[in-house]
Amino acid sequence: MLSKDTKAEISTLLTRYSSKESVLIPALYLAQQENSSYLSHEDIGEVAEILGITKSKAFGVATYYTMFNTKPVGKYHLQVDTNIPATLMGAGEIMAHLEKRLDIKAGETTSDGMFTLSSVEDLGSCGTCPVIQVNDTYYENMTIERVDELLKSLKIGALPERKDESYFGSKCGILLKNRGKKNSTEIGTYKESGGYEALKKARTMKPEDILAIVKEALLRGRGGAGFPAGMKWSFLPKSDPRPVYLICNADEGEPGTFKDRQIMEYDPHLLMESIAIASYAIGCRTAFVYIRGEFKWISDILIKAVEEARQEGMLGDLDIIIHRGAGSYVCGEETALIESLEGKRGNPRKKPPFPANVGLYGCPTIVNNVETLSCLPYIIENGVEEFKKIGEAGNFGPKLFGVSGHVNRPGVYEYPIATLLPEILEAAGGISGNLKAVIVGGLSVPIMKADEISNLKMDYDGCLNAGTMLGSGGIMVMNDTVSIPKIALRTIKFYAHESCGQCTPCREGSTAIRILLEKIINGLGKSQDINAILNICKNVKGLTLCPTGDAFAMPIEAMITKFREEFEALVD
């Protein structure tokens, strides 16, 4: 039975959203929180009854998202990120040590019910790996010694305070200008450096004039696709009676990507001001920040920032709702995100219609990335010409690059877009060891060999011309100790796990490639298996509702093509 307090919280949530179904995921979180991180069938049914939806729908949603525990877990749920950046930094050793110390395997719970150990996908902590998430708390830069200290503390019932030990740097001083300042999350600190002045200026302008400025600035989307934000806004229907919604995509689930959390965690009012400017420009009264569910502490920071901005009159009649996802890579795709925000399983929609016409609740909707929106105050305050002084023709403005793997100072670095990759790597402390390969835009883009990067401009066109993509700007660096076939296997395991299963090429193709790569790495493969993988990749690309099919076909194809000798060495 849910408590009166939990029922009251759910009732309050119902007053915030236009649709009761949108309250389902937040309500399931509340139910799970009340029941020692366990979401029972009874709890799911009670939530469904309160919301007036079917139990089958609620159960379907609860079992789709990885953060809902429909089986009991221990008092402390230790979740170890084992994706590629974490693996490069020793997550395998951390997991093995935990299994030995706790005398259980991943997926099991200790006999006393104290600990559950899980291997999980990317936690958005690529620059501070290895990372262990204990319930809702991140413990980063973990070592064997730190693991032992953590376990010792947990065994006496003490959850240690989270430490912040991340690297960052900025050549532009725009998106990270407040990073490193004391009390950087507070509105007073933000205002001291000119915060909210751009919003005041924007409100003296006509919305159509702001749209024209953003289009002229050629602000390209920083979430991965690089589509011009102003052009996307211009697709909204004119003189439409339906409400317009703005959704800030803060899901950040692409392995290798950890840039957006730098803004949200350390300068949340930059995002609040940016959302307010965009909302004014497109005529939006209700905006959402869809943040990945694992970032619980960051969502709390954003909620506080919304309240501060509201109390100081910065938001006017704009309502900003912070909405946590619940663990699904596919929800980074805008239509899957909208489905999730509507309280559904995060399955991508068929397009057209596009969200600008039929989006959230069937209404015109704009979905923009955190970093994209965060460029707006600079553009409004300083003008198009100043913005275009940063970068090169067709690629303007600052860009956040998340550098992880085999560098000496993994972290997030703000540089002009079109900066040469070696300069960014130097900012990250240089290569640790002998460089072998780099993935420059998150896991979904083709890998680059060491001899391909010396003149690589980190912008959309430069990367495309070099046979890869800028993507999210998540740079994963690998030295010559790395086995590319093993990286390929870890890549496809991620995508096979994260496929929503809706499209046959993605669902079956990712599984088939995983099976073939496992055969090859275990010494059971043949040369024709390598060709079979390439053939699957060829027949997956362009044939799925969302980019997930391409997201695994392109990198796997590139890994085999560029490092085929490593794969051939493993087969008969």
Side-chain angles (χ1 to χ4, degrees), residues 226-300:
F227 193 80
M231 186 177 294
K232 179 183 277 192
W233 294 4
S234 70
F235 293 156
L236 289 169
K238 307 296 187 291
S239 303
D240 194 299
R242 297 173 295 170
V244 175
Y245 294 103
L246 173 68
I247 303 175
C248 173
N249 186 345
D251 195 49
E252 193 153 63
E254 177 80 7
T257 308
F258 54 108
K259 62 184 180 66
D260 292 338
R261 65 176 279 195
Q262 303 299 311
I263 295 171
M264 296 186 290
E265 185 174 3
Y266 300 104
D267 201 2
H269 283 282
L270 172 59
L271 183 58
M272 296 303 109
E273 181 177 22
S274 304
I275 290 172
I277 291 171
S279 296
Y280 174 74
I282 66 174
C284 165
R285 297 290 183 87
T286 304
F288 297 86
V289 178
Y290 184 99
I291 184 170
R292 65 177 299 167
E294 294 88 347
F295 288 170
K296 171 65 168 60
W297 83 99
I298 301 179
S299 71
D300 291 340

Side-chain angles (χ1 to χ4, degrees), residues 42 60 219 279 386:
E42 291 74 19
L219 170 60
S279 296
E386 287 300 311

Side-chain angles (χ1 to χ4, degrees), residues 48-351:
E49 186 175 348
I50 293 171
L51 300 182
I53 61 177
T54 64
K55 293 182 180 179
S56 60
K57 177 177 180 179
F59 186 76
V61 169
T63 53
Y64 178 86
Y65 296 98
T66 60
M67 292 189 67
F68 292 131
N69 302 315
T70 53
K71 294 181 180 179
V73 295
K75 179 180 179 180
Y76 298 114
H77 190 183
L78 279 59
Q79 300 168 84
V80 182
D81 180 346
T82 59
N83 211 289
I84 288 174
T87 297
L88 293 174
M89 299 307 292
E93 291 82 357
I94 296 296
M95 177 62 82
H97 184 69
L98 280 167
E99 289 180 334
K100 183 178 180 180
R101 284 291 312 273
L102 298 176
D103 195 26
I104 56 174
K105 296 293 184 182
E108 297 178 348
T109 300
T110 55
S111 58
D112 60 0
M114 180 69 74
F115 299 103
T116 295
L117 180 62
S118 297
S119 171
V120 297
E121 297 299 343
D122 179 79
L123 289 174
S125 183
C126 313
T128 44
C129 291
V131 56
I132 303 174
Q133 181 183 5
V134 182
N135 300 343
D136 288 328
T137 304
Y138 275 33
Y139 295 98
E140 298 168 298
N141 296 305
M142 295 300 287
T143 62
I144 297 299
E145 293 74 23
R146 287 187 172 191
V147 168
D148 288 341
E149 291 174 6
L150 175 63
L151 292 178
K152 182 179 179 181
S153 183
L154 294 177
K155 284 179 179 178
I156 61 172
L159 199 64
E161 186 176 342
R162 177 181 169 271
K163 296 179 180 179
D164 180 4
E165 302 171 311
S166 56
Y167 292 115
F168 69 95
S170 177
K171 191 173 183 178
C172 303
I174 297 173
L175 300 174
L176 297 184
K177 69 178 181 180
N178 291 320
R179 181 77 162 87
K181 289 184 179 180
K182 187 178 180 181
N183 301 321
S184 66
T185 64
E186 296 180 4
I187 194 169
T189 304
Y190 185 65
K191 283 185 169 183
E192 286 173 3
S193 59
Y196 288 107
E197 291 302 315
L199 176 59
K200 293 177 182 178
K201 182 178 179 180
R203 286 176 172 158
T204 68
M205 304 164 63
K206 295 180 180 179
E208 56 266 30
D209 291 338
I210 298 175
L211 171 59
I213 288 172
V214 175
K215 288 180 72 174
E216 186 183 353
L218 195 62
L219 170 60
R220 299 180 70 169
R222 284 359 189 203
F227 193 80
M231 186 177 294
K232 179 183 277 192
W233 294 4
S234 70
F235 293 156
L236 289 169
K238 307 296 187 291
S239 303
D240 194 299
R242 297 173 295 170
V244 175
Y245 294 103
L246 173 68
I247 303 175
C248 173
N249 186 345
D251 195 49
E252 193 153 63
E254 177 80 7
T257 308
F258 54 108
K259 62 184 180 66
D260 292 338
R261 65 176 279 195
Q262 303 299 311
I263 295 171
M264 296 186 290
E265 185 174 3
Y266 300 104
D267 201 2
H269 283 282
L270 172 59
L271 183 58
M272 296 303 109
E273 181 177 22
S274 304
I275 290 172
I277 291 171
S279 296
Y280 174 74
I282 66 174
C284 165
R285 297 290 183 87
T286 304
F288 297 86
V289 178
Y290 184 99
I291 184 170
R292 65 177 299 167
E294 294 88 347
F295 288 170
K296 171 65 168 60
W297 83 99
I298 301 179
S299 71
D300 291 340
I301 291 171
L302 294 179
I303 289 169
K304 180 184 176 184
V306 171
E307 186 57 31
E308 285 181 337
R310 179 181 292 112
Q311 288 180 356
E312 297 213 9
M314 296 296 134
L315 301 184
D317 59 359
L318 173 65
D319 188 19
I320 301 178
I321 298 174
I322 311 302
H323 185 98
R324 287 172 65 203
S328 170
Y329 167 78
V330 176
C331 287
E333 192 275 334
E334 62 180 6
T335 64
L337 184 157
I338 290 170
E339 288 284 293
S340 181
L341 189 48
E342 290 181 349
K344 304 171 187 174
R345 296 163 70 94
N347 292 335
R349 296 176 179 176
K350 184 178 179 180
K351 294 185 287 190

